[in-house]
Amino acid sequence: FAFPYTIGQMGWLFVPVFVAILLCGDITLHLLIKCVVHLDVGSFPDVMQESFGPIGRIVAGLVTYLDIFSMGVAAMFSATNAIASMGNMVWYMYSRSDVPLLTEGTALLVLCAMLLPSCLIRDLAC
């Protein structure tokens, strides 16, 4: 959410900085792929263990865990905001409605119907 603000504050300086960050990520990914192919290992922690020993594997596992955990927390906040927005929208429709069909029970059913697809999706990576 801070991305547009950052672009606004940096102006045109944002473009070369962003390109430099992209190039660093690209070079890192190519080096990691070369290491995986050369060492004939299957994962990032395996590469770190081959390069730095058991401490490297622990550090890689910790970094991976923290990355996944932080993404989960960010997804939880995003989902919470989405649910709150949908609830506010349904409540607004309910409170402003002169139609007798939109009662408190049907407003709850509409909210549940809006949330149901996200509850049924088990793997968002598909």
Side-chain angles (χ1 to χ4, degrees):
F1 300 121
F3 200 63
Y5 177 76
T6 304
I7 294 172
Q9 292 299 311
M10 290 183 71
W12 286 104
L13 181 63
F14 172 77
V15 174
V17 170
F18 190 65
V19 168
I21 291 171
L22 289 176
L23 287 175
C24 287
D26 187 53
I27 291 168
T28 303
L29 181 63
H30 284 291
L31 289 174
L32 183 60
I33 290 171
K34 284 184 180 181
C35 287
V36 167
V37 170
H38 177 71
L39 296 173
D40 195 30
V41 294
S43 67
F44 178 63
D46 292 338
V47 171
M48 293 298 286
Q49 183 171 355
E50 291 292 325
S51 301
F52 301 108
I55 298 295
R57 185 174 191 85
I58 292 170
V59 169
L62 184 65
V63 167
T64 303
Y65 173 77
L66 290 175
D67 182 43
I68 292 171
F69 180 76
S70 65
M71 289 298 125
V73 169
M76 183 185 68
F77 282 135
S78 179
T80 304
N81 286 339
I83 290 170
S85 296
M86 284 190 274
N88 289 339
M89 181 182 70
V90 170
W91 181 253
Y92 180 79
M93 290 178 357
Y94 167 71
S95 64
R96 301 278 191 254
S97 176
D98 294 330
V99 180
L101 292 175
L102 194 57
T103 63
E104 193 169 324
T106 54
L108 182 62
L109 285 175
V110 168
L111 180 61
C112 289
M114 292 169 71
L115 294 174
L116 187 61
S118 63
C119 295
L120 295 176
I121 297 174
R122 302 195 73 143
D123 187 8
L124 296 177
C126 290

